[in-house]
Amino acid sequence: MSSLTPAKIDNIVLDTLSPPPRRYWGIVALLFTGAFIGLCCWIWQIFVGIGVGGQNNPVAWGTYLINFVFWVGIAHSGTLISAILYLFRAGWRNPIARAAETMTVFAVCTAGLFPLIHLGRVWLVYFMLPYPNQRNLWPNFTSPLMFDVVAISTYLTVSALFWYTGMVPDLATIRDRAEGIRKKIYTVLSLGWTGRFEQWRHYIRGYLFFAALATPLVISVHSVVSWDFGLGIVPGWHSTIFAPYFVAGAIHSGLAMVLTLMIPLRKIFHYEELITTEVLENVAKTIILTGLIVAYAYAFEVFIAWYSFNPVEQEMFRWRIFGDYGLEFWIMTTCNCVVPLFFFFRKIRTDLRYLMTISVLINVGMWYERFVIIVGGPAHDFIPHAWGLYSPTFIELGIMFGTFCMFFLLFILFVKHMPSVSMTEMKEALHTGEDDA
């Protein structure tokens, strides 16, 4: 970073906002088509009924809840990188903080769709809102599902404010160099920023406040999501370890998604001078830590089942490892616990091909972790004659495919029309020398 200057940082980032080539719009069209396919599947489910999915008795929660938990987890590393590491003044997070914050906002929006999809009769969602009505209905605030509504809406609000607050100075920089209609748009978005001392003073205090406010949300939001399962008496769910277990898993999957997004972004936008190999290497080192925590949680779950001498719990974990979903369990364990250990080798964690491959495998493993937990418990409950299996239908897979396309569509639209690297924080790092920390 020693060759960087404030002007050079501005030029590198602003060059990414130039008119995109045709292949960019081709990718946008493909992702939009995928999102439209998902929308069509959802509309079909609305007209035909929730029975078009693979949910059954006893497995009432399928891919909709799996993807809900998955996307909430993806959102967590953005807050970890942008808020917690900001408070610790970790200089290596500056080049990737903006994209991580963006990932957080879009991932929470994607996660918020799945409770609506799973509801079936989505037009009745207002029943969950606490307002006086003639039907004498009132939400059950002791239900962890209501906890989710409060937690996710709070997390989305704080994350969006934190994300937008950090962009204001950069939007003003773009405004000063833009012309025509683009200048008018960025003038509105920059909220009258002029760079006066008072504005910078309020900006720094406000950004620090949002970072402090967002930090406990990293812990609380996914802890609340874990209570959807931990407060039930289903074997494999009723465990006090679920809150830290889910938080560690969320950060693990989120960091992997950061690598999955940053490596192509670095290559396409020629960010090699900003997003250096050392930055990606530090993300890989953090993944080693979260992977070891997740591995400990997996082992501790099995230990608790053995130590409890509860035959139902013991049978549950025996079936989870060797039963009908044994393949999914071993994919989960291998991808989440074994594969990240390769990052101990510097040659692997500094090679972009290995970084990309391992990050994708971790995301696959974390999706299967949610599958094993959410489907495995009800499928092998207390009563043997009530056991059953679940497999997703074409409609469910279509909706899942559509939401993945929607997430990536929103992300690539953002990075081409908004600053994907924080120019403000990069220039601040040059001034304070944080990049050498």
Side-chain angles (χ1 to χ4, degrees):
M1 282 190 174
S2 58
S3 63
L4 289 176
T5 62
K8 188 174 184 179
I9 291 171
D10 285 349
N11 290 333
I12 292 173
V13 177
L14 293 176
D15 283 347
T16 66
L17 306 181
S18 58
R22 285 188 176 182
R23 63 179 179 273
Y24 169 82
W25 294 113
I27 296 172
V28 168
L30 286 175
L31 291 174
F32 179 82
T33 303
F36 184 72
I37 290 172
L39 177 62
C40 291
C41 291
W42 186 15
I43 292 173
W44 178 259
Q45 176 181 282
I46 291 174
F47 276 95
V48 177
I50 195 71
V52 298
Q55 300 91 345
N56 56 60
N57 192 2
V59 185
W61 287 358
T63 56
Y64 300 150
L65 270 296
I66 293 169
N67 285 297
F68 168 73
V69 179
F70 176 79
W71 284 113
V72 173
I74 291 297
H76 271 56
S77 72
T79 311
L80 170 76
I81 291 171
S82 59
I84 297 178
L85 295 182
Y86 174 78
L87 296 177
F88 282 99
R89 295 295 188 264
W92 60 266
R93 44 82 62 192
N94 293 334
I96 60 175
R98 173 67 49 72
E101 292 167 13
T102 304
M103 183 189 75
T104 292
V105 174
F106 294 157
V108 174
C109 292
T110 306
L113 287 175
F114 282 101
L116 302 179
I117 296 170
H118 186 71
L119 189 62
R121 299 177 179 178
V122 66
W123 56 89
L124 299 179
V125 67
Y126 68 93
F127 278 17
M128 292 192 295
L129 301 178
Y131 71 100
N133 57 83
Q134 70 273 22
R135 298 178 307 280
N136 293 321
L137 296 177
W138 196 251
N140 178 13
F141 285 106
T142 62
S143 167
L145 298 179
M146 286 305 301
F147 300 171
D148 280 345
V149 174
V150 176
I152 297 302
S153 58
T154 303
Y155 191 47
L156 176 60
T157 303
V158 173
S159 298
L161 289 172
F162 187 43
W163 169 66
Y164 192 79
T165 299
M167 278 200 298
V168 170
D170 290 351
L171 293 173
T173 302
I174 301 172
R175 174 203 63 199
D176 296 338
R177 300 200 186 187
E179 297 177 352
I181 187 65
R182 293 179 77 245
K183 187 177 184 68
K184 293 180 180 179
I185 293 172
Y186 288 114
T187 298
V188 173
L189 294 176
S190 59
L191 304 179
W193 179 273
T194 59
R196 296 196 311 270
F197 171 77
E198 281 299 309
Q199 288 182 335
W200 277 111
R201 187 164 66 90
H202 291 308
Y203 166 81
I204 293 171
R205 289 180 177 178
Y207 196 75
L208 181 65
F209 168 77
F210 278 123
L213 186 62
T215 296
L217 288 178
V218 176
I219 310 299
S220 63
V221 169
H222 221 55
S223 297
V224 168
V225 172
S226 75
W227 294 340
D228 291 348
F229 313 101
L231 293 181
I233 59 171
V234 176
W237 286 7
H238 192 62
S239 174
T240 55
I241 199 178
F242 259 40
Y245 172 18
F246 269 52
V247 170
I251 295 174
H252 191 49
S253 61
L255 289 171
M257 184 62 81
V258 167
L259 286 180
T260 304
L261 295 174
M262 289 299 102
I263 293 171
L265 187 71
R266 179 181 186 264
K267 178 69 175 177
I268 295 169
F269 284 169
H270 305 291
Y271 276 156
E272 287 84 0
E273 290 187 81
L274 302 181
I275 306 175
T276 61
T277 306
E278 288 76 18
V279 172
L280 300 177
E281 186 180 1
N282 283 322
V283 177
K285 290 177 181 177
T286 313
I287 287 176
I288 295 174
L289 173 63
T290 54
L292 292 173
I293 295 173
V294 169
Y296 173 79
Y298 291 168
F300 199 69
E301 270 197 310
V302 176
F303 172 78
I304 289 173
W306 169 79
Y307 190 74
S308 68
F309 282 94
N310 184 329
V312 178
E313 286 284 337
Q314 291 179 342
E315 168 59 21
M316 170 69 233
F317 279 91
R318 184 207 63 78
W319 180 79
R320 177 182 289 186
I321 298 172
F322 301 110
D324 297 276
Y325 295 130
L327 176 62
E328 287 81 354
F329 173 85
W330 289 111
I331 292 174
M332 168 192 86
T333 306
T334 304
C335 292
N336 295 338
C337 305
V338 179
V339 170
L341 297 180
F342 286 100
F343 282 151
F344 273 113
F345 302 100
R346 191 173 190 276
K347 182 179 179 181
I348 291 179
R349 68 173 182 263
T350 55
D351 190 311
L352 298 185
R353 295 169 299 175
Y354 290 125
L355 282 171
M356 188 70 179
T357 303
I358 292 175
S359 67
V360 171
L361 287 175
I362 291 172
N363 279 314
V364 170
M366 290 308 299
W367 192 92
Y368 272 108
E369 178 199 285
R370 278 59 183 252
F371 182 95
V372 168
I373 292 173
I374 294 173
V375 173
H380 212 72
D381 208 334
F382 293 97
I383 308 173
H385 76 261
W387 292 347
L389 296 176
Y390 161 85
S391 59
T393 63
F394 174 79
I395 296 296
E396 288 180 276
L397 295 177
I399 291 174
M400 184 174 77
F401 174 73
T403 53
F404 271 87
C405 288
M406 185 192 77
F407 171 79
F408 289 113
L409 173 64
L410 293 173
F411 188 81
I412 70 166
L413 287 174
F414 172 85
V415 298
K416 195 57 187 171
H417 297 90
M418 293 288 183
S420 52
V421 170
S422 175
M423 296 179 280
T424 302
E425 293 196 48
M426 291 300 298
K427 289 182 280 191
E428 182 184 358
L430 287 180
H431 179 68
T432 61
E434 280 185 353
D435 54 313
D436 295 326

